Amino acid sequence: PDADLDFAADNAINAAYGSAGERCMAVSVVVAVGGSGDELVARIAERARALRVGPGDDPASEMGPLITREHRDKVASYVDGARAQGAEVVVDGTGYTVAGHEEGFFLGVSLLDRVSPEMDAYRDEIFGPVLCVVRAETYDEAIRLINGSKWGNGTAIFTRDGGAARRFQLEVEAGMVGVNVPIPVPVGHHSFGGWKDSLFGDLHIYGNDGIHFYTRGKVITTRWPDPADSGGINLGFPTSS
């Protein structure tokens, strides 16, 4: 509730609908805590309705089409499915067309409110311009929701309270954490990767782990003793002098 809601809404739009939601770190769920929910949803919806969707060669376009017709239809089906499962469709981007490009794979942005963890829109990776909002009464409830997921790739908190941010960093179970940063991909010399089922293998990528993954270690042990001091026979480890 103490977050800058305009800043949070701007970043929710950027992170959810950038690249038409077709990127691995796209934000798909916003957890609104306490009394922030109604106002946050209203601000996100206002911005979502104003987005300009169109062909990528038009400088006025802020979001382009999806990758295929089949994927567009699949993404749209999650909006209809969420409505049928009890979510509130605040912004409905299905059925969107662009004049002169009626056969294009265009889909408007969608915003779903009051989504619950049992719904398909929450459980599946939609990989499209659909943002879900889940309500939590308290910070503790929000943390339990996040940590209850089998996934642990990335997460973020929006707050102006340093204590809340610090607590979140320590308590949340995810490999990449942002504070007022919606897509918490670190700079290149830090490792990129999640926890739990968001990790494959025992190493992350980039950073030091990336160096370890792509290299083969060689250990060389050398000694240059003084010829006058051979050290004699020693059935233990040789001395280091």
Side-chain angles (χ1 to χ4, degrees):
D2 60 88
D4 181 332
L5 293 185
D6 283 322
F7 181 73
D10 286 343
N11 281 277
I13 290 288
N14 296 339
Y17 304 131
S19 300
E22 294 179 312
R23 57 184 175 190
C24 66
M25 290 298 291
V27 167
S28 57
V29 177
V30 167
V31 181
V33 178
S36 65
D38 289 347
E39 188 61 29
L40 179 61
V41 169
R43 297 186 192 203
I44 294 174
E46 178 185 10
R47 290 159 170 77
R49 294 187 180 103
L51 288 177
R52 297 186 298 273
V53 180
D57 58 0
D58 182 351
S61 299
E62 295 175 290
M63 193 185 87
L66 273 65
I67 188 66
T68 65
R69 176 179 288 104
E70 292 78 10
H71 186 57
R72 179 201 61 193
D73 295 344
K74 180 180 179 181
V75 172
S77 73
Y78 279 99
V79 178
D80 296 332
R83 180 187 287 110
Q85 292 174 340
E88 178 184 349
V89 180
V90 180
V91 180
D92 188 346
T94 62
Y96 187 91
T97 59
V98 175
H101 300 274
E102 287 78 9
E103 298 302 315
F105 311 143
F106 290 98
L107 187 70
V109 302
S110 293
L111 176 63
L112 311 177
D113 191 15
R114 303 191 182 279
V115 174
S116 64
E118 301 80 30
M119 297 180 183
D120 292 334
Y122 180 92
R123 291 160 53 90
D124 296 346
E125 184 178 18
I126 299 176
F127 214 68
V130 178
L131 177 62
C132 299
V133 178
V134 179
R135 304 294 187 107
E137 289 300 320
T138 65
Y139 166 88
D140 290 324
E141 181 183 343
I143 278 287
R144 286 195 299 270
L145 178 74
I146 298 170
N147 290 348
S149 173
K150 68 176 182 177
W151 309 109
N153 195 21
T155 186
I157 185 172
F158 277 75
T159 180
R160 287 180 287 192
D161 184 335
R166 180 64 173 165
R167 183 179 173 190
F168 184 78
Q169 295 171 51
L170 296 174
E171 294 179 343
V172 76
E173 297 174 2
M176 295 179 288
V177 180
V179 176
N180 298 316
V181 176
I183 299 181
V185 175
V187 293
H189 57 269
H190 292 290
S191 187
F192 175 102
W195 288 7
K196 300 190 282 189
D197 283 1
S198 293
L199 174 66
F200 180 79
D202 58 356
L203 293 176
H204 296 287
I205 58 176
Y206 307 152
N208 292 332
D209 280 4
I211 294 173
H212 295 160
F213 183 83
Y214 286 108
T215 57
R216 181 173 59 178
K218 177 184 288 186
V219 178
I220 300 171
T221 303
T222 66
R223 188 181 183 203
W224 300 92
D226 188 321
D229 182 18
S230 65
I233 295 174
N234 182 351
L235 299 186
F237 286 104
T239 62
S240 58
S241 60

